[in-house]
Amino acid sequence: MGNPKPREVYDVLRVEGMAPGSGQPVPKHFKNIPATRVTGEGTTSDPYVGWVYDLTSKGARTIRRCTEIVKEEAIKLGMTYAWIRSVNHPVKSGWSKTNVQVLLPAQPHITVIFGRSASTMLWHGHIWTKNFADNSGAPQRILQPHEVEEKGGNPQLWTYDPASVPELTDESWLFGKVTREDPKVIWVFKPNAMTSQRAIRRCTEIAKKETKELGMSWMWIRSLNHPYKSSYITLTTRVVLQAQSHITVAFGTNDSTLLQRGQSRTKDMADKSGAPQRILEPSEVEEKGGNPQLWASGPYPYMSLPANYPY
């Protein structure tokens, strides 16, 4: 039996001024939260806040302050519904030296979901906090953006629908003229000063070539060429495994909609710089799905699949 398939998670990181996408339906159990764990009327001035998390062992001040902070952020975001998935806590997921997912120390944060109706989730992520000094775990206040160690600001949110993409203003990471002959290539992933210019140039050239062949005019590079992939060894334990080198990409025909996302698999230069020399031929690719290996972004009706769809 193969590894359990992880559930789909859309992870476009929110930036200031970014509009949410169409979202995803809330799970059934979100609609059955006991009244004792709910507050608010579901309006912009008094958002609904529901505790998905079990409150049995939590202090009254922790519950009250988490609720107040989440409601405050919902109002700022113009959201009318919020669901608290985890009480304020100082740990995050990370990776051990053996590539097993583990819990690591982190700045305290509340895990939360926001929406504008009782049936649709638009944003999910974290609200970073500063705790009271009494070790109760109760959040005293929201951290200022400059106090947050993680990227993404505060709150740190991702969209549930990749149809929303940030309007990037850093022109140094934009290439192309937004035509099918010269597609726009946007680096969402920002290489650091240690990344070779050849790796950046070759990834951009390969991305542009693939975009043209697909008839797309916009392309987002979400990850530099790399030889790793994620997999699950149990339903809850994720590991990083060796893989054929690939660039993580997304394609579209305009600046507001992602149509396909996946990997362009490559053969690296022999100098171990990480720069891709060329795109692999389909016969060279170890994973199913061809090259590029792409998935449709967002809901895709089964009746729209080709009759010979093989998977």
Side-chain angles (χ1 to χ4, degrees):
M1 179 181 291
N3 292 327
K5 182 180 179 181
R7 65 180 181 175
E8 197 71 79
V9 178
Y10 295 145
D11 55 356
V12 180
L13 185 62
R14 176 183 177 270
V15 296
E16 193 64 34
M18 178 177 168
S22 57
Q24 288 187 4
V26 301
K28 290 182 179 180
H29 66 279
F30 278 34
K31 300 177 182 179
N32 299 314
I33 299 174
T36 54
R37 286 157 48 180
V38 170
T39 183
E41 298 296 327
T43 64
T44 53
S45 59
D46 185 21
Y48 166 106
V49 177
W51 281 82
V52 182
Y53 185 89
D54 183 9
L55 302 176
T56 305
S57 61
K58 302 302 172 185
R61 184 170 64 164
T62 298
I63 296 170
R64 176 174 57 81
R65 285 299 297 143
C66 286
T67 303
E68 291 169 349
I69 285 172
V70 169
K71 180 165 288 196
E72 179 184 337
E73 290 302 297
I75 292 172
K76 289 179 183 177
L77 291 166
M79 298 289 140
T80 54
Y81 278 77
W83 295 270
I84 298 176
R85 293 185 58 197
S86 180
V87 73
N88 197 52
H89 59 289
V91 293
K92 65 178 181 180
S93 294
W95 301 98
S96 71
K97 293 181 179 179
T98 56
N99 290 332
V100 174
Q101 195 170 29
V102 295
L103 292 179
L104 302 172
Q107 289 180 298
H109 57 281
I110 307 164
T111 305
V112 66
I113 295 170
F114 292 109
R116 289 201 181 105
S117 75
S119 59
T120 305
M121 306 178 294
L122 297 178
W123 300 111
H124 68 100
H126 312 118
I127 301 173
W128 303 96
T129 64
K130 179 176 175 61
N131 286 355
F132 284 103
D134 58 6
N135 294 322
S136 65
Q140 182 181 13
R141 63 173 176 84
I142 301 169
L143 289 182
Q144 295 300 314
H146 70 271
E147 298 178 287
V148 178
E149 297 169 359
E150 301 276 341
K151 68 178 182 179
N154 198 20
Q156 176 195 42
L157 299 173
W158 290 265
T159 178
Y160 271 107
D161 186 339
S164 289
V165 294
E167 181 180 348
L168 300 179
T169 56
D170 183 356
E171 293 294 332
S172 64
W173 294 104
L174 304 181
F175 303 87
K177 298 180 180 179
V178 200
T179 65
R180 290 195 175 184
E181 294 72 32
D182 187 15
K184 176 74 78 174
V185 176
I186 300 174
W187 280 80
V188 180
F189 173 89
K190 295 295 178 21
N192 58 38
M194 301 298 292
T195 305
S196 77
Q197 290 302 305
R198 184 167 63 164
I200 296 170
R201 175 176 58 81
R202 286 298 298 145
C203 285
T204 302
E205 291 169 350
I206 285 173
K208 183 164 289 193
K209 181 177 185 293
E210 291 295 289
T211 308
K212 291 171 65 176
E213 291 182 356
L214 289 166
M216 303 286 176
S217 52
W218 285 79
M219 193 270 192
W220 293 263
I221 297 178
R222 298 180 58 197
S223 175
L224 193 70
N225 195 53
H226 60 287
Y228 303 103
K229 66 179 181 179
S230 294
S231 186
Y232 281 71
I233 58 175
T234 70
L235 288 174
T236 58
T237 303
R238 187 166 63 175
V239 296
V240 176
L241 303 174
Q242 290 287 330
Q244 289 181 301
S245 295
H246 57 280
I247 310 164
T248 307
V249 294
F251 298 99
T253 53
N254 59 55
D255 64 350
S256 61
T257 305
L258 308 187
L259 297 179
Q260 294 181 318
R261 58 197 173 86
Q263 294 90 34
S264 291
R265 301 194 179 275
T266 63
K267 178 176 175 61
D268 288 356
M269 300 278 187
D271 59 5
K272 298 184 180 180
S273 65
Q277 181 183 14
R278 63 175 175 85
I279 302 169
L280 290 181
E281 295 297 325
S283 61
E284 299 177 285
V285 177
E286 298 170 358
E287 301 276 342
K288 68 180 182 181
N291 199 22
Q293 178 193 40
L294 300 174
W295 291 264
S297 280
Y300 196 90
Y302 283 105
M303 65 283 295
S304 298
L305 292 174
N308 62 346
Y309 186 70
Y311 305 119

